[in-house]
Amino acid sequence: MALLFATAVLCLAFTALVAVYAGYAGTQERTGARSPERVTDGHTTTRARYLLKHDTLDDARSYTVAFVEPVDAAVAPPPGLTSWPAPGQAVLSPALLKAGAGQHIADRYGTLAGTIGPQGLASPSERFAYVRPAHTMRGMTEARPIHGFGAAPEWGNGDFTNQRPIWNLLLTVCGFLLLPAAACVVLAARIGADERDRRTALVSALGALPSHRRLIVIGEAALPVVVGAVVGAVPAAVGCLIDVPVPVVDFTLHAPDLAAYALWLVGMAVLSVVVMLTAVTVLHRRRRPGASTRPRASRPALTRFACWACPLFLLAASYGPGLAPSPTLRVLLQVVGTLGGFATLPSLLAAACKAAGSALAELSRRRAGPSALIAGRWMAAHAATTARLVCSVVIAIGLTGETQLWMSRMAEPVRQATAVHAMVGESLLRVSSPRRITPAFVESLPEQAVLLSLEEDKGAITVLGTCSDLKAVRLPCRSTAVTPADGADERLRYALGRGTDLNTAVIAQASAHTGRAALVLSRGGTALDVAGIKQTANRTLAPGTDVSTLGTEWISGGMVLRDQSGWLLFFGLLGTSVLAVGFALNTQAEFLRQGRAAAPLAVLCGRRRVFYGLSGWSLLAPLLASGAVGVLIYSWLAGPLIADGYAQTSPTLMSVSLGVSAALGLVLWVCGGTSAARISGRWRPNGD
């Protein structure tokens, strides 16, 4: 099972590296195919006009809107479109159409003319729209004359805008998945090494050459390794056939992208088999003839130093940043303390396991509990084995918690913008148009809406509105200078800044004097129909007009950071789960060794339930304790990050950590007890 699991994880890590490269290559290729060829880039003929803008839905996720208008009827439409949309029509991506189903997205930009094909999208989950305005874009300074499509990918074009460099994600896969897979490979190669050592000594005495010994090792490992490679390649095979949504992150892997690298995926599966068999062969060491069988002495001085150093490192990580004079030193103390604490934690846990085992054995001896007595003696004698299991889970929870804390720290601007948005809500909208705001837009606003036109000249802001509109936001109904803090509507302070000096000007009608920027507020602070106003703006204002609620830009930018850091959480959870399962299998193997040695207990105790007690004390109890210790260390290390209010712990992560460790402990408890009981049923007295 350990060989199968390690090979499957190794194959998954190798194919994940190929999937990252394939996804980036496909995204870049399709983004380049739809990027416009500018007239100035070696072309002199204007065949279409093109304008990129961004909009958001209620979830504040930004998406790209491409306003297009053909000048030459013979020019080919963008990739993913079978024909140019007619004036007043829009073509949306399936993901955008689904996400905005309840927000009038189908008719926000005009009549829906269809959906964008897969070849025109960076990924199946991309939100993108092509819009052909009802009126011509000729004369618009922001609209670019283009010759066609098929240039280098440009910044601002869909999901390509938010992509991190490919090496970022490759390093994430290597650090969070490939390294844990390598640890599982070493563990699997050494599980049961004592029995193979005895077998090696036997076949060597019978005259086996090194090549014979290697063939024996490869022969016993070949079947589980090959099966593991097949299991590990299943996600890649599925990804070649259908689009696969990646959990935790808002991304869907396009099947043709992965299918284009099918041979590489097969090569990675073969490579995982080769690496695993090589590791099994190389790590199966044979003692030199005549070598001493005496156990090597440990290094008690180093172990004692690590036991004392671990709490000191954890104290430095928790309290050191608060005493550091500079931000750089604070981060350095946090990182060094955390890494040092994790590095010395195994020695401290081994000492704790030894002490706990001795205490359990002494307590059980007085109360005549055979399962706890034997488990306690075994834990005290083999404290390192239990410590490895506990340490893997504790470090897994700690590293995942650190990832979550830094993610929450990166998302702090989102929380601040969300707080402002919550105060103002949808009772205030900013309107910014490339051209002047038209009377048609003003007349289409709902009755409870207040329109204030804004004009800025040399840093001074002039607010123009009718007398009733100015009074609705508590501004004087006369031409004068005023500060929003002096009794004006609180929403103006959020929109224009606290302490900003304003000039008010009264106009007879709202549509009589409007500039390119305006604020739309509701009377009484009630919510406006944002989707309806956006729909009206797209019909009555110039293409590229921006209509947004307050704080949307900050929230949208923070959502990008959160989505990008979601890859850290995804691979972090995957890698820590791999480590926990790998070390659990290693401990299970050690327990089965103990179960074989304890097989006569079934005769002495008269029942085989004693093995479930052994499994509970040896496997279930350490895993339950490791979950609690991991959550405790996670909360302890979170102190300096949440002290300044820029990060927060996750109760969900704590609950999941405790639940996963408990579930893993229950599975190992049942499997270990059942296996040990089955072994005891086959035991017969012999002469040893």
Side-chain angles (χ1 to χ4, degrees):
M1 290 303 299
L3 288 171
L4 191 153
F5 176 75
T7 310
V9 173
L10 188 63
C11 182
L12 180 64
F14 285 155
T15 53
L17 293 174
V18 177
V20 169
Y21 184 83
Y24 267 78
T27 298
Q28 202 161 13
E29 179 182 357
R30 288 186 294 275
T31 304
R34 74 184 182 198
S35 295
E37 295 177 325
R38 302 186 183 186
V39 171
T40 56
D41 297 341
H43 303 284
T44 57
T45 307
T46 299
R47 307 184 68 184
R49 294 185 180 88
Y50 187 86
L51 175 62
L52 274 182
K53 287 292 182 180
H54 294 88
D55 202 351
T56 58
L57 295 176
D58 286 349
D59 59 3
R61 294 185 184 275
S62 176
Y63 63 89
T64 302
V65 181
F67 293 91
V68 292
E69 181 186 50
V71 176
D72 184 355
V75 64
L81 274 63
T82 56
S83 61
W84 288 96
Q89 288 186 340
V91 185
L92 311 181
S93 68
L96 178 59
L97 198 60
K98 180 180 178 180
Q103 304 174 46
H104 307 294
I105 194 64
D107 52 3
R108 174 177 292 187
Y109 303 102
T111 305
L112 183 64
T115 58
I116 305 173
Q119 66 274 21
L121 298 173
S123 69
S125 57
E126 183 182 36
R127 300 180 182 182
F128 200 91
Y130 285 107
V131 178
R132 184 173 179 180
H135 305 287
T136 181
M137 297 168 64
R138 184 188 301 273
M140 284 187 59
T141 56
E142 293 190 351
R144 295 183 300 177
I146 63 172
H147 182 76
F149 298 92
E154 65 174 353
W155 189 258
N157 195 334
D159 284 355
F160 181 76
T161 306
N162 303 326
Q163 273 192 347
R164 304 288 296 175
I166 186 173
W167 61 267
N168 281 10
L169 197 52
L170 290 175
L171 286 179
T172 301
V173 175
C174 291
F176 285 96
L177 187 57
L178 189 57
L179 283 181
C184 289
V185 167
V186 175
L187 288 174
R190 294 302 298 165
I191 281 181
D194 56 333
E195 294 185 355
R196 292 202 299 275
D197 288 344
R198 289 195 293 268
R199 183 191 62 198
T200 299
L202 174 61
V203 298
S204 298
L206 296 175
L209 298 175
S211 58
H212 299 148
R213 295 194 297 269
R214 284 193 292 269
L215 286 175
I216 292 174
V217 174
I218 292 174
E220 71 170 352
L223 181 59
V225 166
V226 171
V227 174
V230 173
V231 172
V234 166
V238 173
C240 290
L241 300 176
I242 60 174
D243 295 340
V244 178
V246 182
V248 181
V249 294
D250 186 22
F251 180 79
T252 301
L253 184 61
H254 195 33
D257 292 345
L258 207 55
Y261 290 83
L263 291 179
W264 280 92
L265 296 173
V266 174
M268 292 298 104
V270 174
L271 179 62
S272 64
V273 173
V274 173
V275 170
M276 192 70 227
L277 292 179
T278 302
V280 171
T281 304
V282 171
L283 295 177
H284 180 54
R285 299 183 295 270
R286 175 176 177 266
R287 275 200 191 95
R288 298 187 306 275
S292 173
T293 59
R294 179 179 298 175
R296 289 176 296 179
S298 61
R299 300 178 180 177
L302 183 61
T303 303
R304 285 196 299 269
F305 169 77
C307 291
W308 285 104
C310 182
L312 294 178
F313 275 121
L314 294 179
L315 285 173
S318 181
Y319 291 103
L323 304 175
S326 65
T328 304
L329 191 56
R330 283 197 293 270
V331 174
L332 182 62
L333 283 173
Q334 171 75 14
V335 173
V336 171
T338 301
L339 295 180
F342 286 152
T344 54
L345 185 62
S347 297
L348 181 61
L349 289 178
C353 289
K354 184 175 182 178
S358 300
L360 178 63
E362 180 64 22
L363 182 63
S364 302
R365 184 183 64 81
R366 294 177 180 177
R367 299 191 177 183
S371 299
L373 175 63
I374 298 170
R377 294 296 189 193
W378 182 81
M379 189 184 301
H382 304 278
T385 301
T386 306
R388 282 195 294 267
L389 174 64
V390 175
C391 191
S392 65
V393 177
V394 170
I395 292 179
I397 296 174
L399 290 179
T400 306
E402 285 291 298
T403 303
Q404 179 271 325
L405 287 169
W406 284 104
M407 284 178 57
S408 67
R409 194 175 182 89
M410 293 169 60
E412 177 59 23
V414 181
R415 288 198 298 273
Q416 293 178 354
T418 304
V420 174
H421 181 77
M423 295 176 185
V424 178
E426 296 181 344
S427 65
L428 184 148
L429 294 176
R430 291 178 181 270
V431 181
S432 178
S433 178
R435 295 180 178 176
R436 302 186 72 84
I437 297 174
T438 61
F441 172 76
V442 178
E443 294 169 358
S444 65
L445 292 175
E447 293 183 0
Q448 79 272 22
V450 173
L451 179 70
L452 300 178
S453 183
L454 304 178
E455 291 185 354
E456 186 173 356
D457 184 21
K458 297 180 180 180
I461 299 177
T462 301
V463 179
L464 300 95
T466 63
C467 198
S468 61
D469 287 347
L470 291 173
K471 287 182 177 180
V473 293
R474 299 196 293 274
L475 287 176
C477 182
R478 63 183 185 277
S479 298
T480 183
V482 64
T483 301
D486 297 338
D489 194 302
E490 186 179 15
R491 292 173 292 176
L492 289 180
R493 297 200 292 273
Y494 285 115
L496 303 176
R498 297 182 180 273
T500 304
D501 291 329
L502 302 178
N503 298 319
T504 58
V506 182
I507 55 178
Q509 296 181 352
S511 58
H513 190 292
T514 52
R516 298 184 178 184
L519 295 178
V520 179
L521 303 91
S522 63
R523 301 177 189 271
T526 58
L528 294 168
D529 182 10
V530 178
I533 294 176
K534 285 187 175 184
Q535 182 182 10
T536 302
N538 288 315
R539 287 200 313 265
T540 58
L541 299 179
T545 298
D546 178 58
V547 179
S548 61
T549 55
L550 201 62
T552 300
E553 297 84 357
W554 282 90
I555 299 176
S556 179
M559 294 291 288
V560 172
L561 289 175
R562 194 177 74 175
D563 291 343
Q564 291 174 348
S565 58
W567 289 101
L568 293 175
L569 183 60
F570 170 68
F571 283 110
L573 290 173
L574 192 59
T576 51
S577 301
V578 166
L579 273 180
V581 174
F583 278 95
L585 288 173
N586 181 65
T587 308
Q588 175 89 337
E590 294 295 329
F591 174 75
L592 291 181
R593 287 181 57 201
Q594 177 195 6
R596 283 191 292 271
L601 285 176
V603 179
L604 299 177
C605 298
R607 60 186 184 276
R608 294 190 294 174
R609 287 187 301 175
V610 65
F611 297 104
Y612 287 96
L614 282 174
S615 179
W617 286 109
S618 302
L619 299 176
L620 177 59
L623 278 170
L624 292 178
S626 65
V629 174
V631 170
L632 179 63
I633 291 181
Y634 159 58
S635 303
W636 179 271
L637 294 177
L641 292 178
I642 65 177
D644 53 5
Y646 288 108
Q648 57 184 358
T649 56
S650 172
T652 302
L653 180 60
M654 296 181 186
S655 303
V656 170
S657 300
L658 293 173
V660 169
S661 60
L664 185 59
L666 288 172
V667 171
L668 291 181
W669 171 53
V670 174
C671 294
T674 303
S675 301
R678 188 180 296 116
I679 290 173
S680 70
R682 297 194 297 266
W683 178 81
R684 295 293 181 272
N686 51 43
D688 58 2

